[in-house]
Amino acid sequence: MITHFRWQDILDILVVAFIVYKTFLLIKGTRAIQLIVGFIIVLFVFYLAKTLELFTLSWIFNSFVGSIILVIVVIFQSDIRRVLVALGRSPFFKKITYVQETLFYDELTNACTVMGKRKNGALIVIEREVGLEEFMEIGIRLDAEVNTELIVSIFQAVSPLHDGAMIIREGRIRAAGCVLPLTTDEDLDKSLGTRHRAAIGITEVTDALAVVVSEEHGTISYAYKGEFFTKVNSDVLKKTLKDALA
């Protein structure tokens, strides 16, 4: 029975809960999630072996658990590095001025409008708090300002990067030609193509905002928090960007 509950204990619990929450946000959508699931399975089997007195299995898991930290560091060193880097990463627009922020909204919206009129299909993902490094690794690394002409040129049909997704981080284009997970929602409209399903899929596993330009109809849509909003105009898109990235 707890007889003394200090204010420090409450602070301790809140700080630990916050750290755990932020850590899950950072690793969501990465291989680290698989690591945690695998570690839980190992601990469960280890517990069963101890309970059922399976001595050989217990000895094997004793040896494995004893070196688990080293195994994690060796196998997931890149993921650990990304998490540490993400912890120190600035908010979305901290490093750019108000003028640059305004240009970001205008350039991205204008690019989508131009591609919509030309019926150039496009998929643009804007990173928020959850890191998208896992998906950037598959694509082609870039480091460029968000510019209408550049975005339109990347999604031209003759461009080798037009089929993949573009990822934007901290107001700059960081990668293109990226492969994203598709949504598994079976209730979606059957007419939605791969780009639309990928846009929804990435927002189901991360907190990113994904903008899609339809190659067939030229319409602009966006996905956010697993929900899909179709046939939006430039004003709605710009307001959505501002609300999501503010």
Side-chain angles (χ1 to χ4, degrees):
M1 182 176 180
I2 300 175
T3 55
H4 299 289
F5 200 75
R6 308 170 302 158
W7 67 268
Q8 291 95 331
D9 299 323
I10 298 176
L11 178 62
D12 189 25
I13 293 171
L14 291 176
V15 169
V16 171
F18 177 77
I19 292 173
V20 171
Y21 170 72
K22 295 298 287 186
T23 301
F24 269 101
L25 278 183
L26 289 170
I27 66 176
K28 189 177 181 181
T30 70
R31 291 184 303 167
I33 285 291
Q34 301 168 10
L35 168 66
I36 292 175
V37 173
F39 189 58
I40 291 173
I41 293 173
V42 168
L43 289 179
F44 178 71
V45 175
F46 183 46
Y47 170 77
L48 286 180
K50 285 284 189 181
T51 303
L52 300 176
E53 298 183 351
L54 304 176
F55 300 112
T56 304
L57 191 58
S58 297
W59 177 82
I60 293 173
F61 276 100
N62 263 326
S63 303
F64 177 75
V65 172
S67 58
I68 189 67
I69 300 299
L70 181 61
V71 172
I72 291 173
V73 171
V74 171
I75 297 179
F76 292 92
Q77 55 182 315
S78 59
D79 297 275
I80 293 171
R81 183 173 63 251
R82 285 200 299 268
V83 169
L84 293 176
V85 170
L87 285 172
R89 195 166 65 233
S90 302
F92 194 87
F93 285 122
K94 187 174 181 179
K95 295 182 180 179
I96 66 177
T97 65
Y98 174 77
V99 174
Q100 289 174 313
E101 181 180 340
T102 303
L103 286 173
F104 170 85
Y105 295 128
D106 291 338
E107 294 289 331
L108 184 53
T109 304
N110 290 341
C112 292
T113 302
V114 170
M115 291 187 292
K117 290 178 180 178
R118 298 179 182 179
K119 291 189 176 180
N120 288 343
L123 173 54
I124 303 170
V125 182
I126 302 100
E127 180 187 87
R128 297 179 69 246
E129 288 189 38
V130 179
L132 300 177
E133 191 72 24
E134 181 94 359
F135 308 102
M136 292 189 214
E137 289 180 349
I138 305 174
I140 304 300
R141 294 280 183 168
L142 299 171
D143 185 14
E145 292 183 356
V146 174
N147 177 277
T148 298
E149 289 74 19
L150 176 59
I151 295 175
V152 172
S153 66
I154 287 176
F155 287 108
Q156 291 284 345
V158 294
S159 169
L161 302 177
H162 79 281
D163 276 335
M166 173 185 291
I167 294 181
I168 295 175
R169 168 190 285 172
E170 294 178 348
R172 294 182 67 83
I173 300 171
R174 302 294 185 179
C178 303
V179 179
L180 305 180
L182 302 181
T183 180
T184 56
D185 189 351
E186 297 180 355
D187 297 327
L188 286 176
D189 187 343
K190 302 299 181 183
S191 65
L192 293 179
T194 304
R195 283 195 181 94
H196 298 82
R197 293 180 180 275
I200 300 171
I202 192 64
T203 63
E204 289 174 338
V205 298
T206 72
D207 64 346
L209 171 69
V211 182
V212 186
V213 180
S214 171
E215 187 173 357
E216 184 178 356
H217 304 290
T219 54
I220 301 173
S221 309
Y222 72 89
Y224 187 49
K225 296 182 178 178
E227 296 186 38
F228 190 67
F229 305 87
T230 186
K231 298 179 181 178
V232 299
N233 57 37
S234 58
D235 293 332
V236 172
L237 177 60
K238 188 180 294 185
K239 183 179 185 302
T240 299
L241 290 168
K242 289 181 177 180
D243 291 343
L245 305 177

